Amino acid sequence: MKCQHFGLCGGCELDLAYEKQLESKLKQTQQEFSSLFSSNGFSSANLSVHNSVEWGFRARAEFRFYTEQNRIHFAMSNREKNHRTPITQCPILLPIIQKAMPLVIESLEADETLRTKVYACNFLANIESQEIIISLIYHKRLDSIWEQKAQNMRDRLHTALNATAHIIGRAKNQKILVGDFDYDSCVRESLRLFADSKQKQNYTFFKQESSFSQPNPFINTKMLEFVITHLKALYPQPDNDMLELYCGGGNFSIALSGVFRQILATEVVKSAISLLQQNMEQNFCENITPVRLNALETQVALSGEREFFRLRGIDIKRFSFDCVLIDPPRSGVNELKILHFLQQFNTIVYVSCKPHTLLQDLQTLIQSHNILHFGLFDQFPHTHHRECIVILRQK
């Protein structure tokens, strides 16, 4: 399969057979980290590569609209020019999103209320293709007439897709939900880990329309299995505690709750903390303590430099941390004080979406820790993007 918009759309960029893409990413990673590996005694041959399905893997999508001769199209930014490219297909998206795209266009073209001043559309679906959220974003005030039209659109999509469809209308200072949500603006997703083994584990997560979630659920499963497998080898019994920085909605916290005695999960985004609490309920997790702190505030709180009102009722002295998991933004940690804080833990799990900043941060961390495992995960096939997870152990 090859997308007809390849070379025009600013999304996919690697015009290679998928096996060649993986080979190229592996070689690039080995070259970039070669000096660090050699100084740390880690063999690049032990770097593990985890492939994705080649097509139909992406659970999130964001499009603008492009109007031409009274026809409306989805659009992406053009690779070479500063204008939008009409999009009629996107084979990297989950099948339910691909199926919904032309149905959304039909609904907009058939109804002036829905079409007028709409400028963007976001999709969020679950891997089982049983539920989808379509967010329509407008440059106008949405009223009860729009809401009724959106309800009609939602009913048609529900039937045509044979799945639960939700519509969200967004405008300035407005958010209108059209659908029967189990939890605010969320789809429910089931993840099956170690599906073909006796270790089989099932988890249920809410993924929120306005919050970050792992875009490739196939790779997310492999990332979780990688971390669980190696941490269970280090912690065969749940006798130790873990600190998580940038926990989001609990993707790693929930899956690791069976490995550790307690987990202190910190996140600065208030809505993400609420989402984590919902996911804890869904998975009957009682040993995770969510706290709204950023990484630096967490360091200050745990060192006793300052007391935080947000920690009222939480006895942080009861934690006996041995492991820290950090999943920072693309900019990495990039803060010496935080890196030195991480070095206090026996085990560091570093999840990175940008190898360049990971390499910078590891220059500090390998002064005190050895690299035990390095995983390369193909989160976005057909692009140069690389996701890495490094597990380090104190020397």
Side-chain angles (χ1 to χ4, degrees):
M1 182 187 295
K2 184 172 180 179
C3 178
Q4 67 188 54
H5 305 295
F6 185 86
L8 297 175
C9 165
C12 299
E13 53 198 354
L14 289 179
D15 190 14
L16 297 170
Y18 186 59
E19 293 76 13
K20 294 294 184 182
Q21 293 181 34
L22 286 179
E23 289 176 14
S24 174
K25 292 179 181 183
L26 172 59
K27 185 177 180 180
Q28 184 180 0
T29 306
Q30 289 173 328
Q31 289 175 344
E32 287 178 356
F33 289 83
S34 60
S35 61
L36 184 144
F37 288 162
S38 60
S39 66
N40 197 247
F42 181 83
S43 171
S44 62
N46 292 330
L47 192 157
S48 60
V49 183
H50 304 265
N51 66 299
S52 170
V53 296
E54 188 174 355
W55 304 103
F57 58 82
R58 190 175 171 91
R60 294 191 282 123
E62 298 178 1
F63 293 104
R64 292 296 184 96
F65 285 111
Y66 176 88
T67 303
E68 183 180 46
Q69 297 178 348
N70 295 322
R71 297 297 304 274
I72 190 168
H73 307 274
F74 291 112
M76 291 284 288
S77 297
N78 188 287
R79 180 177 299 281
E80 302 295 339
K81 300 176 183 178
N82 188 24
H83 65 76
R84 297 174 190 170
T85 297
I87 298 293
T88 56
Q89 65 164 188
C90 188
I92 66 172
L93 300 179
L94 289 181
I96 189 173
I97 301 179
Q98 296 187 51
K99 188 176 179 181
M101 288 174 64
L103 299 174
V104 171
I105 293 295
E106 288 175 14
S107 295
L108 295 178
E109 290 190 331
D111 194 289
E112 186 176 356
T113 299
L114 294 175
R115 181 178 67 251
T116 302
K117 293 189 176 181
V118 64
Y119 76 92
C121 179
N122 299 338
F123 293 93
L124 176 65
N126 63 16
I127 192 173
E128 302 94 347
S129 293
Q130 296 174 341
E131 193 172 12
I132 185 171
I133 297 174
I134 298 108
S135 301
L136 297 173
I137 306 168
Y138 288 85
H139 283 311
K140 70 174 182 180
R141 182 87 182 159
L142 304 180
D143 55 19
S144 58
I145 297 176
W146 178 90
E147 190 169 357
Q148 182 57 57
K149 299 285 189 178
Q151 181 64 58
N152 295 339
M153 175 183 174
R154 182 245 176 191
D155 292 342
R156 289 193 298 271
L157 286 167
H158 184 86
T159 301
L161 296 172
N162 191 29
T164 301
H166 310 286
I167 306 291
I168 296 179
R170 288 188 173 275
K172 187 176 182 180
N173 300 323
Q174 270 192 300
K175 176 182 174 183
I176 299 178
L177 306 183
V178 181
D180 301 320
F181 291 93
D182 290 330
Y183 180 63
D184 181 34
S185 309
C186 288
V187 295
R188 187 194 299 264
E189 181 168 77
S190 297
L191 285 184
R192 298 173 181 85
L193 306 185
F194 308 104
D196 300 322
S197 74
K198 294 180 180 180
Q199 302 179 62
K200 182 170 61 176
Q201 296 171 280
N202 296 324
Y203 297 98
T204 301
F205 289 92
F206 282 123
K207 301 197 301 184
Q208 199 162 47
E209 171 255 0
S210 57
S211 299
F212 173 81
S213 58
Q214 293 290 337
N216 186 333
F218 302 97
I219 281 294
N220 185 38
T221 297
K222 293 187 176 185
M223 291 167 61
L224 292 173
E225 290 175 346
F226 177 87
V227 173
I228 291 171
T229 297
H230 293 307
L231 288 185
K232 273 191 172 181
L234 293 172
Y235 303 101
Q237 298 297 326
D239 299 327
N240 296 275
D241 298 339
M242 186 186 85
L243 170 68
E244 183 174 6
L245 306 174
Y246 307 97
C247 69
N251 183 61
F252 287 99
S253 311
I254 301 293
L256 290 171
S257 62
V259 179
F260 293 96
R261 184 175 68 98
Q262 295 182 96
I263 296 176
L264 181 66
T266 67
E267 170 62 60
V268 71
V269 180
K270 191 174 183 179
S271 60
I273 291 292
S274 298
L275 189 61
L276 169 57
Q277 292 169 334
Q278 288 295 323
N279 286 329
M280 288 167 56
E281 289 183 16
Q282 290 294 307
N283 295 279
F284 308 101
C285 292
E286 298 180 350
N287 63 337
I288 300 174
T289 302
V291 179
R292 190 166 62 86
L293 296 172
N294 64 30
L296 189 57
E297 288 172 334
T298 303
Q299 181 270 322
V300 169
L302 293 181
S303 65
E305 297 175 33
R306 175 187 160 192
E307 292 186 358
F308 287 85
F309 182 72
R310 282 166 280 169
L311 284 170
R312 66 192 185 280
I314 298 175
D315 180 14
I316 58 174
K317 293 180 180 179
R318 78 174 190 268
F319 290 93
S320 179
F321 295 115
D322 196 83
C323 178
V324 59
L325 186 149
I326 184 167
D327 186 1
R330 291 179 62 82
S331 57
V333 176
N334 196 29
E335 173 68 53
L336 200 57
K337 188 173 184 179
I338 299 301
L339 291 171
H340 288 163
F341 170 62
L342 298 179
Q343 290 177 303
Q344 299 174 21
F345 296 82
N346 282 330
T347 305
I348 303 171
V349 182
Y350 192 130
V351 183
S352 170
C353 58
K354 190 174 182 181
H356 177 68
T357 55
L358 170 63
L359 181 59
Q360 289 180 330
D361 290 339
L362 285 180
Q363 302 290 348
T364 299
L365 296 179
I366 64 168
Q367 295 172 17
S368 57
H369 286 65
N370 289 320
I371 297 173
L372 295 185
H373 307 283
F374 194 119
L376 174 63
F377 298 84
D378 196 20
Q379 182 87 257
F380 298 101
H382 318 295
T383 76
H384 292 288
H385 179 93
R386 288 168 293 151
E387 190 98 3
C388 302
I389 299 180
V390 185
I391 299 177
L392 304 101
R393 187 72 172 169
Q394 198 168 62
K395 294 180 180 179

